[in-house]
Amino acid sequence: SRFLDELHALADTLRWHGALNSLSMVLLKYSGPGVPDLYQGTELFDDSLVDPDNRRPVDFVRRHVLLEELRALASCGDAQALRAQVNQWAQQPTDGRAKLWSTWRLLELRRAQPALLRDGSYEPLRVRGARASHVIAYLRRHQGACMVVLVVRLTATLQQSAGKASATKSSPLAPVLTGEDAWLDTWIALPQALRGLELTDLVAGQTHGTEDGRLRLADVFAHFAGAVLLHAPEGLAAS
């Protein structure tokens, strides 16, 4: 019936944006102050309700297999292949690999940089440009190490602002989440102390310069809608 068709279409749209929101929550809770709240079994995309629906058995075998795939990718030494794979995962957020990848990379960071995550500052960053309302941006720094976190928000209205959507069912919003069309002139203003540093994105693997004190989101979000940009003294880099 027409009603069921419309209901299924709405459910698909909500599920898609829910998955994107889940990715943003991963970046926020694993990079912000305090201890992150992680439920076993939610390392992949999960559309169950909260207690008691999330008390089902966890498929640890599947998670182990997927994690080994991610480790192999991270250690392959091919930066271009890594970015392409991360971008592919980002086009299908309900698949779960993008969430598992982000979770693993940030947990590795927390293990490699405990002082930065435990004692680091928590400073808001100014966002300017046409899509400024769609980004949460903050800086954490401690004893020479620093981390710039950029998180996408309000993805449904971001699609409306960009004025286009994909014709494919499997990836209805991907064209408006990354690149120039999505982010136009939007940029992040960095403190003077960060100018001249190189920041490496733990999610997409890209390195960005900061000579002019700005980060263009069209560049930072070229492959993945979200970023954790790290600069650390020698010997403190995350794996």
Side-chain angles (χ1 to χ4, degrees):
S1 69
R2 178 181 174 184
F3 169 75
L4 287 178
D5 289 341
E6 292 179 354
L7 181 62
H8 285 306
L10 175 61
D12 288 342
T13 299
L14 294 176
R15 191 169 190 266
W16 183 269
H17 288 293
L20 295 173
N21 193 54
S22 181
L23 293 178
S24 293
M25 289 174 65
V26 166
L27 299 185
L28 285 172
K29 68 183 180 181
Y30 292 121
S31 65
V35 179
D37 186 12
L38 170 65
Y39 283 92
Q40 281 190 347
T42 60
E43 302 87 359
L44 302 177
F45 178 70
D46 181 79
D47 57 2
S48 65
L49 300 175
V50 294
D51 294 343
D53 196 32
N54 61 3
R55 296 178 186 175
R56 62 173 63 93
V58 177
D59 188 347
F60 289 108
V61 173
R62 181 176 181 232
R63 283 155 179 78
H64 176 75
V65 170
L66 292 177
L67 186 57
E68 289 304 309
E69 292 179 7
L70 304 188
R71 285 173 172 159
L73 176 66
S75 61
C76 72
D78 188 338
Q80 185 174 356
L82 187 151
R83 288 192 294 270
Q85 185 63 77
V86 169
N87 181 254
Q88 182 178 338
W89 291 334
Q91 309 306 317
Q92 299 174 331
T94 57
D95 171 73
R97 286 174 172 84
K99 183 178 181 180
L100 181 61
W101 171 262
S102 301
T103 299
W104 174 58
R105 295 298 289 165
L106 285 166
L107 288 177
E108 288 288 291
L109 172 64
R110 295 184 71 89
R111 180 165 61 179
Q113 299 274 6
L116 174 61
L117 274 297
R118 183 185 63 242
D119 303 322
S121 62
Y122 185 65
E123 309 167 43
L125 296 175
R126 291 183 301 151
V127 186
R128 297 289 184 267
R131 307 287 191 252
S133 63
H134 294 280
V135 182
I136 298 170
Y138 55 89
L139 165 69
R140 304 200 64 191
R141 48 182 167 176
H142 179 70
Q143 295 182 350
C146 66
M147 175 176 63
V148 174
V149 181
L150 307 175
V151 179
V152 176
R153 64 190 291 264
L154 306 176
T155 57
T157 52
L158 175 60
Q159 177 202 3
Q160 296 167 6
S161 299
K164 60 176 70 176
S166 172
T168 63
K169 181 180 179 180
S170 62
S171 183
L173 302 177
V176 298
L177 290 180
T178 57
E180 198 77 38
D181 289 344
W183 299 102
L184 302 175
D185 62 341
T186 311
W187 53 278
I188 310 295
L190 298 175
Q192 184 70 35
L194 269 63
R195 298 189 181 186
L197 299 180
E198 287 192 341
L199 302 174
T200 300
D201 187 0
L202 297 182
V203 179
Q206 288 181 288
T207 298
H208 302 275
T210 60
E211 286 76 11
D212 60 356
R214 296 186 177 190
L215 287 171
R216 292 184 68 251
L217 289 186
D219 298 329
V220 178
F221 292 166
H223 302 282
F224 192 90
V228 177
L229 308 174
L230 178 70
H231 171 79
E234 185 177 356
L236 290 178
S239 60

